[in-house]
């Protein structure tokens, strides 16, 4: 309760002058005990350390008490940029912009200011600054490490769907081109009929 980031087992063991295994076991037992008793708080292992959290059932009351209705949410652009950094790290701003298809300089500055992203050196070939997610990101997402990020595959369209959309787009483009050609040749009725199909 006196630290502002998750406390590692090794650090706690050092402070308590106890073996690390004993401290780790005690922390797991406390966490299980709090859950079994249905306490309003929870002890969780996140971002390589242990930290107290409000239990999900009490989160609304805690939010009202602490935030008083003022909650800073990330914009859609910030969430998309953060996702690109999380899955592609370390990554440069220009690479994130290329993946998103829009300039993300302002969004990256916001993510750095909020402590979710940090500089991670520079790219040897170009000298561009590389970015990665922070422990604070892991903490806010409730993750122990980056290996707990969900797989991207379930969120990507199937190859057949992409091909069907591409084929459908091609067929529509061909139909529009044929209709335009017919209209240009003076058979406007035929062109309108083909567009109605």
């Amino acid at each position: 309760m006196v630290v502002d980031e998750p406390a590692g087992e090794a650090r706690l063991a050092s402070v308590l002058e106890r073996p690390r295994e004993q401290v780790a076991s005690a922390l797991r037992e406390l966490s299980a005990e709090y859950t079994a008793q249905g306490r309003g708080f929870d002890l969780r292992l996140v971002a390589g350390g242990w930290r107290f959290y409000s239990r999900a059932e009490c989160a609304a009351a805690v939010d009202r008490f602490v935030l008083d209705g003022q909650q800073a949410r990330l914009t859609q652009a910030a969430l998309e940029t953060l996702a690109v950094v999380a899955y592609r790290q370390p990554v440069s701003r220009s690479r994130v912009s290329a993946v998103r298809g829009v300039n993300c300089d302002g969004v990256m500055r916001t993510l750095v200011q909020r402590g979710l992203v940090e500089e991670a050196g520079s790219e040897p070939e170009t000298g561009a600054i590389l970015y990665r997610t922070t422990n604070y990101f892991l903490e806010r997402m409730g993750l122990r490490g980056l290996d707990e990020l969900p797989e991207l595959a379930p969120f990507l369209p199937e190859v057949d769907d992409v091909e069907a959309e591409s084929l459908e787009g091609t067929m529509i483009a061909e139909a529009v081109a044929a209709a335009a050609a017919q209209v240009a040749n003076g058979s406007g009725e035929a062109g309108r009929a083909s567009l109605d199909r």
Side-chain angles (χ1 to χ4, degrees):
M1 290 185 200
V2 296
V3 294
D4 58 356
E5 60 185 29
E9 292 170 358
R11 172 94 170 106
L12 291 170
S14 171
V15 169
L16 297 172
E17 299 176 345
R18 298 273 187 241
R20 184 177 183 273
E21 297 78 23
Q22 184 181 10
V23 170
S25 175
L27 289 165
R28 285 178 176 69
E29 287 175 21
L30 278 173
S31 179
E33 182 180 318
Y34 296 154
T35 299
Q37 293 174 352
R39 301 261 179 119
F41 57 89
D42 189 14
L43 182 60
R44 294 186 209 154
L45 178 61
V46 293
W50 290 86
R51 186 169 188 168
F52 283 105
Y53 285 87
S54 318
R55 192 155 306 276
E57 299 82 35
C58 303
V62 172
D63 282 349
R64 283 192 304 273
F65 181 78
V66 173
L67 302 175
D68 192 25
Q70 298 176 9
Q71 197 167 32
R73 296 187 184 270
L74 292 175
T75 64
Q76 185 67 30
L79 289 172
E80 290 172 9
T81 302
L82 188 56
V84 173
V85 173
Y87 283 97
R88 303 290 301 256
Q89 61 187 303
V91 64
S92 67
R93 285 184 188 189
S94 62
R95 183 68 183 140
V96 174
S97 294
V99 170
R100 289 199 57 235
V102 295
N103 185 312
C104 67
D105 290 350
V107 176
M108 287 292 283
R109 278 192 294 276
T110 299
L111 294 174
V112 169
Q113 287 172 348
R114 290 193 179 188
L116 296 168
V117 171
E118 65 186 1
E119 291 184 9
S122 61
E123 202 169 62
E125 301 84 35
T126 64
I129 297 172
L130 298 174
Y131 293 88
R132 66 178 174 217
T133 55
T134 62
N135 278 340
Y136 181 64
F137 163 80
L138 294 174
E139 186 182 332
R140 297 297 297 165
M141 296 296 149
L143 303 172
R144 292 184 185 137
L146 292 173
D147 57 328
E148 288 189 353
L149 283 170
E151 291 293 322
L152 281 178
F155 301 105
L156 297 174
E158 295 295 325
V159 172
D160 294 341
D161 295 341
V162 171
E163 286 176 359
E165 285 177 18
S166 176
L167 182 59
E168 181 182 336
T170 302
M171 289 171 34
I172 291 170
E174 287 173 356
V176 169
Q182 287 178 350
V183 169
N185 291 334
S187 55
E189 291 302 317
R192 280 191 286 281
S194 70
L195 284 174
D196 289 340
R197 275 188 247 146

